[in-house]
């Protein structure tokens, strides 16, 4: 009997067939290891490679999170990939919220969203999103990185307690999760490009993990969280009235 873990089998063809009608030229690339799928797609974008792609790495050696943080994920414990898309939305605001909403809706009714980029379940972090953009000759290219915990991470020293998909989806594997989320996500991204965030506002607010809670932002706003507006900005009712936070550089925590 082999003591090695089974290699992961990725349903790349089925996913490709479900996506390519809406995203002509779409390709899927699966690597055993890379520094970071976001970093790699940004490197390619700088070399004028702007085709629509899903780049997945079974292991990242330098995975990146928001606000310059690292993102850790062991093989089989996390699903880590980036979408690189030629992308020209009229308004970029709310894009990370739209991505999170699509993932949450694909994964289940009790998945919540913590503004602006996190998926939560039972007050723990299930995954995160890192969006970057490149532009060349007036055309823009979006790199949308997604990291989801499939199994609970082995490390216990995380700043935020972790949740995992296998806790509510028995037997879930990274390939199964990828197959479930990709086509709805790429459809949602097409819709966002023309319609923006406004049509998603109510659905986001229904899953907002901070709504109704007293919160504090990293730029020192404090008050009652009232959900997001039609642009995806977080509304906080402070002692000085309602204030909106729309910078993805700001983080917010419940008090
Ligand atoms: C966060 O929670 O701060 C965002 C995490 C985003 C992690 C994903 S994993 C795939 C892609 N490549 C990266 O280096 N980061 C994103």
């Amino acid at each position: 009997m082999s003591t090695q873990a089974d290699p992961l089998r990725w349903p790349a063809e089925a996913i490709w067939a479900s996506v390519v009608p809406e995203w002509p030229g779409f390709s899927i690339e699966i690597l055993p290891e890379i520094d970071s799928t976001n970093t790699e797609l940004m490197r390619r974008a700088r070399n004028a490679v702007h085709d629509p792609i899903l780049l997945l790495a079974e292991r990242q050696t330098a995975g990146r999170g928001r606000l310059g943080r690292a993102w850790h994920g062991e093989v089989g414990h996390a699903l880590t990939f980036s979408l690189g898309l030629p992308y020209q939305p009229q308004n970029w605001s709310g894009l990370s919220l739209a991505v999170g909403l699509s993932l949450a809706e694909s994964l289940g009714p009790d998945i919540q969203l913590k503004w602006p980029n996190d998926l939560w379940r039972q007050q723990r972090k299930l995954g995160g999103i890192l969006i970057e953009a490149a532009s060349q000759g007036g055309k823009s290219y979006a790199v949308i990185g997604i990291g989801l915990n499939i199994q609970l991470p082995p490390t216990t020293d995380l700043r935020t307690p972790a949740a995992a998909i296998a806790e509510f989806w028995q037997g879930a594997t990274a390939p199964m999760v990828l197959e479930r989320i990709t086509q709805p996500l790429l459809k949602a991204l097409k819709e966002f490009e023309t319609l923006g965030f406004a049509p998603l506002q109510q659905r986001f607010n229904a899953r907002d993990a901070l709504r109704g809670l007293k919160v504090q932002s990293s730029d020192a706003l404090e008050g009652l969280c009232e959900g997001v507006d039609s642009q995806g900005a977080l509304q906080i009712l402070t002692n000085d009235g309602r204030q909106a936070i729309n910078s993805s550089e700001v983080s917010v925590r419940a008090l």
Side-chain angles (χ1 to χ4, degrees):
M1 197 175 80
S2 163
T3 51
Q4 280 191 329
D6 279 346
L8 296 170
R9 282 169 206 264
W10 297 97
E13 266 185 45
I15 294 173
W16 177 83
S18 70
V19 166
V20 76
E22 216 155 6
W23 289 93
F26 183 72
S27 66
I28 297 181
E29 194 175 325
I30 294 171
L31 303 174
E33 181 175 298
I34 199 163
D35 51 355
S36 147
T37 53
N38 263 48
T39 303
E40 171 63 11
L41 289 186
M42 290 299 284
R43 272 195 295 263
R44 293 183 190 183
R46 281 193 292 278
N47 289 322
V49 180
H50 289 159
D51 303 319
I53 186 168
L54 185 160
L55 177 68
L56 182 145
E58 292 180 346
R59 183 162 176 270
Q60 296 186 119
T61 55
R64 294 188 289 117
R66 238 167 43 88
L67 308 172
R69 294 177 187 142
W71 171 270
H72 302 286
E74 298 297 316
V75 178
H77 282 82
L79 171 64
T80 51
F81 68 97
S82 300
L83 295 168
L85 303 170
Y87 208 54
Q88 328 288 335
Q90 292 190 355
N91 187 345
W92 289 78
S93 64
L95 175 58
S96 69
L97 284 64
V99 171
L101 179 63
S102 170
L103 297 173
E105 289 183 341
S106 291
L107 289 172
D110 65 344
I111 309 303
Q112 291 191 297
L113 296 157
K114 180 172 170 287
W115 189 94
N117 288 41
D118 288 353
L119 279 91
W120 279 61
R121 183 169 182 268
Q122 298 175 343
Q123 284 95 50
R124 291 171 297 142
K125 180 163 168 167
L126 188 68
I129 298 158
L130 177 67
I131 298 190
E132 299 177 289
S135 76
Q136 204 173 46
K139 297 269 186 208
S140 50
Y141 188 72
V143 174
I144 299 166
I146 294 169
L148 293 172
N149 297 329
I150 306 295
Q151 309 283 342
L152 282 178
T155 42
T156 50
D157 60 342
L158 298 172
R159 318 170 58 243
T160 314
I165 293 173
E167 292 176 315
F168 60 89
W169 174 359
Q170 283 218 341
T173 63
M176 288 159 69
V177 174
L178 184 73
E179 185 160 23
R180 184 181 291 189
I181 64 177
T182 304
Q183 192 275 337
L185 175 58
L186 279 146
K187 183 167 183 285
L189 284 164
K190 260 288 173 237
E191 287 168 2
F192 182 92
E193 200 174 17
T194 45
L195 303 174
F197 181 73
L200 309 175
Q201 179 188 4
Q202 282 192 351
R203 277 154 57 200
F204 184 95
N205 280 334
R207 289 178 182 259
D208 184 348
L210 297 175
R211 196 169 188 203
L213 299 182
K214 197 156 182 232
V215 296
Q216 188 177 51
S217 71
S218 54
D219 59 355
L221 275 184
E222 203 172 299
L224 186 71
C225 176
E226 296 192 320
V228 299
D229 68 10
S230 62
Q231 300 298 300
L234 194 68
Q235 309 288 297
I236 299 187
L237 187 59
T238 71
N239 289 337
D240 302 322
R242 182 175 293 135
Q243 312 258 358
I245 306 180
N246 50 25
S247 163
S248 61
E249 296 306 307
V250 173
S251 59
V252 180
R253 65 182 180 95
L255 289 173

